[in-house]
């Protein structure tokens, strides 16, 4: 579902956006020093599936990894994603355990 959609980093609203089927999925963030805090995920019910959630979060993590900054997942859904995907645990700052 996310293959044709483009991930947008909206600096002004401090959120990642993905427009799919005329619906906007977002992950809000706060950027401090060399860390990005992923604070809230909002996906409309019309496009919400577990597969979509995982693809969306994976896109966001790939974008963050390219910037070479640490991730602090404060949203429960995103913390759960990190627990399930060990490859992203090394993106956590030193001392943060999920």
């Amino acid at each position: 579902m996310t293959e044709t959609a483009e991930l947008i980093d909206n600096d002004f609203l401090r959120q990642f956006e993905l427009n799919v089927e005329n619906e906007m999925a977002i992950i809000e963030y706060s950027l401090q020093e060399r860390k990005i805090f992923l604070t809230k995920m909002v996906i409309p019910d019309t496009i919400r599936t577990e597969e979509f959630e995982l693809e969306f979060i994976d896109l966001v993590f790939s974008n963050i990894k390219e910037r070479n900054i640490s991730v602090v997942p404060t949203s429960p859904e995103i913390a759960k994603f990190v627990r399930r995907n060990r490859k992203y645990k090394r993106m956590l700052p030193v001392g943060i355990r999920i």
Side-chain angles (χ1 to χ4, degrees), residues 24-81:
M24 181 75 67
I26 64 167
I27 293 179
E28 295 177 1
Y29 66 82
S30 174
L31 190 58
Q32 299 173 9
E33 297 174 10
R34 298 288 303 154
K35 296 183 198 89
I36 188 165
F37 292 77
L38 302 178
T39 57
K40 184 177 179 183
M41 181 169 67
V42 179
I43 300 175
D45 290 335
T46 55
I47 59 173
R48 180 184 287 275
T49 64
E50 187 173 343
E51 180 183 353
F52 177 79
E53 276 187 37
L54 296 176
E55 288 178 19
F56 181 36
I57 297 170
D58 190 56
L59 277 173
V60 169
F61 270 74
S62 295
N63 181 286
I64 294 168
K65 189 174 185 176
E66 289 174 9
R67 299 182 199 184
N68 198 29
I69 57 178
S70 298
V71 176
V72 181
T74 59
S75 163
E77 302 99 331
I78 298 171
K80 183 173 147 184
F81 173 83

Side-chain angles (χ1 to χ4, degrees), residues 1-2 4-6 18-25 46-47 52:
M1 189 182 294
T2 61
T4 59
E6 179 185 350
L18 193 65
N19 194 341
V20 176
E21 298 174 8
N22 294 323
E23 297 284 349
M24 181 75 67
T46 55
I47 59 173
F52 177 79

